[in-house]
Amino acid sequence: MASIASMSVSMPCKGVVIPWSRSEAFAGKYGIVGNEKGKEKKVVGVKAKAMAMAKFKGTQIREQQLTEMIEKKVKEAKEVCEGDEKSDECKVAWDEVEEVSQAKADLRRRLEKQDPLEYFCRDNPETDECRIYED
Amino acid sequence: MAICTVYSTHSLDSTCSISTPTKTHLGFNQKQVVFFTTGKRMVKRGGGYKITCSADKTVVIGLAADSGCGKSTFMRRLTSVFGGAAEPPKGGNPDSNTLISDTTTVICLDDYHSLDRTGRKEKGVTALDPRANNFGLMYEQVKALKDGIAVEKPIYNHVTGLLDPPETIKPPKILVIEGLHPMFDQRVRDLLDFSLYLDISNEVKFAWKIQRDMAERGHSLESIKASIEARKPDFEAYIDPQRQYADAVIEVLPTQLIPGDNEGKTLRVRLIMREGVKYFSPVYLFDEGSTISWIPCGRKLTCSYPGIKFFYGPETYFGNEVSVLEMDGQFDRLDELIYVESHLSNLSTKFYGEVTQQMLKHSDFPGSNNGTGLFQTIIGLKIRDLYEQILASKAAAPLEASKA
């Protein structure tokens, strides 16, 4: 049946230091661990929340697209803003990052309930988008 | 060529009106045949126009919030207060931003973008900029829905960044328009029966966006921070000023109970309620109009660290007289919630414990243990109260007309 493994893999972050993360609940969520002395905190791995099933191929493709778009647009924004941080281009670039980040988050949240293509695929089961996603 | 014919019948209780927009979303004039009737009727003429005459007038609520539409927990709490859950429309565009329940329809104002993602890039404007939005169309369609007429509303697809073919929106009992600019345009503002602004402080915004984005491959703390910083100027120029028009503002700030806290886990939330708004009576603590500082934890109620602190008092907010109810801290147990509810007044609940019940119903929603959930629930009940008062006043009016 539909597998979620490929969508929510733990990805090591670049070792970003978050000096103010204290509580265990917060630390546990973002995989922040202290070293033996308990002073330095580092992000060693970030686990995505448990994701619901992407049932249809169309949704899986969409998720992938959004993930790639986020990466691409963050890269673009960094490049554009190197010249002038206050420029319109820079603002627009980061606004796009926000838009796709939010779109991805919305899709994740909707998936918790039901695949957004559910009704569409009921009416159009033969389309490519509506192939049941298999591992 | 269609012919305009008008049949009129006398009707006391139906508020039928047809708005004939001079420009449709497609950009050209259309002639229509118009039928006035009592009760509900769907009439189709002249290429895709549905005209509905409804006896009930739609109540319109505006909600200003950053970051996306229809996802906000407030929407889910509000629809729950009215009963039912709001779902995306079945069938139709799977990327629709609209949510529909039995009583409520939530429209995302991003659907009124005049520029799609490419267009905005070309012009160098963000989505926050009014130049990227078609306020004329927004006004026309919200007005039409308010008057009981269905509309063909465009869809802005957040995945592709394009404007998709429109979807039909039928006038609901309660229409919520949610997005960045519900109170920006004066004409739209005048259509709102109630308006709410969710004001998230920068520190809390940062903490929440970290939770949202850190799992994404492309993101890091720097990119999340940079995105917030880059959007700040437009946000402050175009979105923030709407606060002065809001009937209520929910302000979310970092806690003052834990020195140096930066996690955004414990929150200080302020419910800023405007005085003198029709059908809306602010919630108060103990003695209306006075200033109260209240720590419920003590002999009768035991709370765990960091406890709960309340404040209530009159203030001035952007030149308006307001009452502010503030909660700092978290609820850990059910009895804390009931205790607090029993000391608040003017909650517009239908029975004792309704606030607690609503909070428990959605204990998995974010904010269910702090002021965000509490105040969103209270505002939801206030909106229900407002809706019922408006309905009652509309029912009273025709009776008087017939007596005259």
Side-chain angles (χ1 to χ4, degrees):
Chain A
M1 245 306 257
S3 154
I4 57 170
S6 58
M7 281 295 105
S8 40
V9 175
S10 292
M11 289 280 182
C13 279
K14 290 168 244 168
V16 179
V17 177
I18 307 178
W20 38 263
S21 54
R22 267 186 284 116
S23 84
E24 271 189 27
F26 192 72
K29 207 173 187 176
Y30 301 107
I32 300 165
V33 295
N35 63 10
E36 295 113 39
K37 290 180 191 155
K39 276 187 197 158
E40 204 186 283
K41 310 260 179 198
K42 257 204 225 168
V43 177
V44 287
V46 178
K47 292 198 173 76
K49 294 186 231 178
M51 271 196 6
M53 307 299 222
K55 189 168 163 197
F56 298 109
K57 191 111 175 79
T59 303
Q60 190 236 341
I61 290 176
R62 190 168 276 154
E63 264 184 304
Q64 228 162 16
Q65 278 176 337
L66 282 170
T67 309
E68 285 163 15
M69 263 203 280
I70 293 178
E71 262 195 285
K72 188 179 105 180
K73 292 206 184 278
V74 168
K75 200 155 154 263
E76 265 172 33
K78 286 183 181 159
E79 283 166 16
V80 166
C81 296
E82 236 154 66
D84 179 9
E85 247 177 29
K86 301 268 189 289
S87 69
D88 284 342
E89 289 80 29
C90 180
K91 277 196 300 183
V92 173
W94 282 118
D95 192 42
E96 285 190 6
V97 168
E98 167 63 28
E99 193 189 345
V100 294
S101 302
Q102 185 59 50
K104 178 93 200 284
D106 282 342
L107 182 58
R108 267 203 308 260
R109 191 190 34 92
R110 275 175 83 165
L111 272 179
E112 280 166 24
K113 275 219 186 129
Q114 180 188 66
D115 194 306
L117 285 177
E118 186 73 45
Y119 291 102
F120 174 78
C121 288
R122 223 175 265 183
D123 297 333
N124 308 278
E126 69 293 337
T127 58
D128 191 47
E129 277 187 299
C130 293
R131 277 170 34 211
I132 304 283
Y133 170 54
E134 270 160 59
D135 210 344
Chain B
M1 184 76 159
I3 301 166
C4 271
T5 315
V6 177
Y7 297 84
S8 66
T9 53
H10 287 290
S11 69
L12 275 174
D13 52 79
S14 127
T15 49
C16 271
S17 60
I18 304 294
S19 83
T20 45
T22 49
K23 220 174 178 189
T24 70
H25 66 274
L26 299 163
F28 52 86
N29 295 327
Q30 282 202 336
K31 304 257 185 199
Q32 307 157 29
V33 177
V34 166
F35 284 89
F36 281 82
T37 63
T38 53
K40 285 193 174 134
R41 269 266 222 121
M42 295 287 267
V43 177
K44 203 171 181 174
R45 274 280 193 271
Y49 266 92
K50 290 193 173 88
I51 301 164
T52 316
C53 289
S54 163
D56 297 319
K57 214 156 185 215
T58 299
V59 168
V60 184
I61 314 286
L63 170 62
D66 189 13
S67 292
C69 294
K71 69 123 190 172
S72 73
T73 316
F74 173 70
M75 284 329 311
R76 290 143 88 195
R77 288 192 198 273
L78 177 65
T79 44
S80 167
V81 159
F82 283 99
E87 310 279 343
K90 300 175 175 36
N93 191 334
D95 288 318
S96 163
N97 304 304
T98 308
L99 292 179
I100 302 183
S101 79
D102 290 332
T103 46
T104 315
T105 294
V106 185
I107 282 182
C108 176
L109 291 178
D110 287 349
D111 289 335
Y112 293 109
H113 278 332
S114 49
L115 300 168
D116 63 15
R117 206 180 281 157
T118 318
R120 294 198 302 269
K121 200 178 198 138
E122 278 167 18
K123 288 238 159 82
V125 299
T126 63
L128 305 158
D129 195 312
R131 286 173 289 172
N133 298 284
N134 187 344
F135 290 106
L137 184 63
M138 192 191 293
Y139 166 65
E140 257 172 42
Q141 296 206 331
V142 173
K143 181 161 197 312
L145 287 167
K146 187 164 179 144
D147 291 339
I149 302 158
V151 300
E152 292 291 303
K153 180 192 61 66
I155 297 176
Y156 177 77
N157 189 319
H158 284 100
V159 178
T160 60
L162 300 167
L163 283 158
D164 285 349
E167 63 184 344
T168 310
I169 304 291
K170 297 188 213 158
K173 291 203 175 103
I174 296 159
L175 176 69
V176 182
I177 58 172
E178 182 186 5
L180 292 163
H181 306 97
M183 300 164 239
F184 185 85
D185 184 277
Q186 160 112 53
R187 299 164 296 177
V188 178
R189 218 154 56 218
D190 291 341
L191 293 172
L192 301 177
D193 293 296
F194 189 77
S195 54
L196 178 67
Y197 186 102
L198 283 178
D199 186 9
I200 318 295
S201 76
N202 288 312
E203 302 91 333
V204 176
K205 204 179 261 192
F206 189 33
W208 285 2
K209 294 210 172 169
I210 289 178
Q211 287 177 36
R212 186 192 72 182
D213 292 338
M214 271 308 258
E216 295 303 328
R217 224 152 49 199
H219 267 301
S220 62
L221 269 187
E222 290 89 28
S223 64
I224 296 172
K225 193 149 202 248
S227 178
I228 296 180
E229 291 299 317
R231 290 171 90 240
K232 232 194 238 179
D234 277 8
F235 206 85
E236 285 169 5
Y238 307 120
I239 316 299
D240 267 345
Q242 293 177 90
R243 286 180 297 184
Q244 62 185 297
Y245 303 114
D247 296 319
V249 175
I250 295 183
E251 203 182 342
V252 186
L253 303 151
T255 182
Q256 288 179 328
L257 300 175
I258 304 172
D261 179 76
N262 254 323
E263 290 166 28
K265 215 172 73 123
T266 308
L267 296 170
R268 175 174 160 232
V269 190
R270 308 179 82 227
L271 177 58
I272 301 166
M273 298 164 284
R274 199 150 164 187
E275 289 291 340
V277 175
K278 203 171 184 194
Y279 306 125
F280 175 62
S281 51
V283 180
Y284 67 88
L285 191 54
F286 176 52
D287 179 21
E288 202 171 4
S290 64
T291 304
I292 313 271
S293 204
W294 182 46
I295 298 175
C297 316
R299 290 208 190 104
K300 276 197 199 165
L301 186 71
T302 345
C303 311
S304 45
Y305 182 79
I308 305 172
K309 199 169 179 186
F310 274 88
F311 167 84
Y312 164 75
E315 279 180 26
T316 317
Y317 187 75
F318 292 103
N320 303 314
E321 268 186 37
V322 299
S323 294
V324 180
L325 177 64
E326 177 181 317
M327 171 179 164
D328 197 349
Q330 334 200 91
F331 296 114
D332 277 319
R333 296 189 325 273
L334 172 61
D335 54 341
E336 289 172 6
L337 193 42
I338 294 181
Y339 193 83
V340 164
E341 181 179 352
S342 65
H343 287 81
L344 289 168
S345 308
N346 250 351
L347 285 171
S348 302
T349 47
K350 293 211 163 139
F351 53 86
Y352 175 70
E354 191 176 10
V355 174
T356 304
Q357 190 201 63
Q358 280 293 325
M359 294 274 281
L360 284 178
K361 213 162 130 191
H362 305 295
S363 52
D364 56 320
F365 285 8
S368 290
N369 65 343
N370 61 40
T372 54
L374 177 64
F375 295 150
Q376 286 175 3
T377 304
I378 292 175
I379 289 288
L381 295 171
K382 289 261 154 230
I383 291 178
R384 179 184 67 187
D385 183 43
L386 178 131
Y387 170 70
E388 287 170 357
Q389 286 185 62
I390 292 179
L391 232 53
S393 72
K394 293 269 176 280
L399 281 175
E400 284 171 25
S402 66
K403 278 178 199 165

